[in-house]
Amino acid sequence: LIVPGELEDGRAAAEAITALFEQPFRIGTRDLRLSCSIGIAAYPQHGSRPRLMAHAVMAMRSVKHTGGGGHAEYDPRMGIAQREQAEMLHDLRSAVERGQLELFYQPKVDAQSRQITAAEALLRWRHPRRGLVGPAVFIPLAESHGLINALGDWVIGEACRQAAAWRDDGLRMRVAVNVSGAQLRHDDFVARVEAMLRQYQIPPGRFTCEITESVAMEDTRVTQRAFERLRRAGVHVSIDDFGTGYSSLASLRRL
């Protein structure tokens, strides 16, 4: 939408459009509620004419990232954040090949015997410039750009390798890995898990796939099919962070 006038006119137009979308739309006998995210870029303060659309899109995306339903003006720092994300994505594509990924193991202790009975593998990226990067930063990037299966396969393989090394040292512990929704949705996910377990001679009963409650409830039919395949393979499954979402015990029972 091209709005002639000053920046204030653009803000007023954005507020008017947002207010219109706050009203329900009557579709047949139903009221449909929508929201809109608006980015504002003004000439000349926000860039040259060929760049205005791109800068408005950046501003719009900043609104979406904070939940949507409103408007924002372009800020040059938005471009910096976008460039940083592009650089991180470029580095992430080669992180496995360069040996920059590491697994840290969090012990799980039996409350009665006080013995360590399992370990959860936690992925970290040792970036050459950014230092130790946690999964909350790069896993969403991997999921949205088709890299999650490669990262997930590396995690499962490395966890199996470590479990085999512990076994050879006389430690028989269950090892757990976190699984994303994108991994679950792939038909060959369970087959890849089984192949790695065979490669390192890890009994399926000593391997756990942890899925967060929010991921498990994204598509319960897909989750149920994946759980059934994992169960047939003998792999343990656990629901992580249960209670932080809005699923009911009935939903949990179905899974």
Side-chain angles (χ1 to χ4, degrees), residues 51-241:
R51 299 295 302 161
L52 280 188
M53 182 65 77
H55 290 170
V57 169
M58 281 186 197
M60 177 197 66
R61 286 176 179 162
S62 75
V63 178
K64 287 188 174 183
H65 289 161
T66 55
H71 67 274
E73 295 170 26
Y74 170 75
D75 187 313
R77 288 173 293 183
M78 295 173 180
I80 294 171
Q82 195 172 54
R83 283 197 300 274
E84 285 184 350
Q85 190 177 57
E87 289 173 4
M88 183 169 283
L89 178 62
H90 176 270
D91 294 343
L92 185 59
R93 292 185 188 279
S94 56
V96 174
E97 298 171 6
R98 294 176 179 174
Q100 295 172 353
L101 299 182
E102 294 182 33
L103 290 184
F104 287 67
Y105 293 91
Q106 178 173 288
K108 297 190 175 188
V109 181
D110 183 271
Q112 291 184 327
S113 67
R114 298 186 181 180
Q115 297 296 309
I116 296 175
T117 58
E120 179 180 357
L122 303 174
L123 180 62
R124 299 292 184 269
W125 178 15
R126 197 172 290 281
H127 193 279
R129 296 190 313 279
R130 303 173 188 271
L132 206 60
V133 182
V137 175
F138 64 88
I139 289 298
L141 202 59
E143 287 181 328
S144 60
H145 290 85
L147 301 178
I148 191 62
N149 284 309
L151 292 185
D153 286 351
W154 183 88
V155 169
I156 294 168
E158 179 62 17
C160 288
R161 185 200 64 76
Q162 182 61 70
W166 284 334
R167 179 198 61 214
D168 295 342
D169 288 339
L171 294 173
R172 296 187 176 274
M173 291 196 302
R174 186 191 311 280
V175 66
V177 300
N178 293 293
V179 176
S180 75
Q183 288 174 276
L184 274 187
R185 286 190 288 271
H186 271 254
D187 290 335
D188 64 343
F189 168 67
V190 178
R192 297 203 306 272
V193 171
E194 289 181 295
M196 293 179 201
L197 293 174
R198 286 194 300 270
Q199 179 181 347
Y200 292 99
Q201 299 179 343
I202 305 297
R206 294 192 181 277
F207 192 83
T208 299
C209 288
E210 292 195 358
I211 296 101
T212 62
E213 176 193 10
S214 57
V215 167
M217 299 304 169
E218 279 176 4
D219 188 334
T220 54
R221 287 178 298 178
V222 170
T223 304
Q224 195 161 9
R225 286 198 300 269
F227 279 13
E228 288 169 357
R229 291 170 183 164
L230 289 167
R231 190 179 300 114
R232 286 197 299 268
V235 173
H236 280 247
V237 173
S238 72
I239 303 288
D240 205 4
D241 296 338

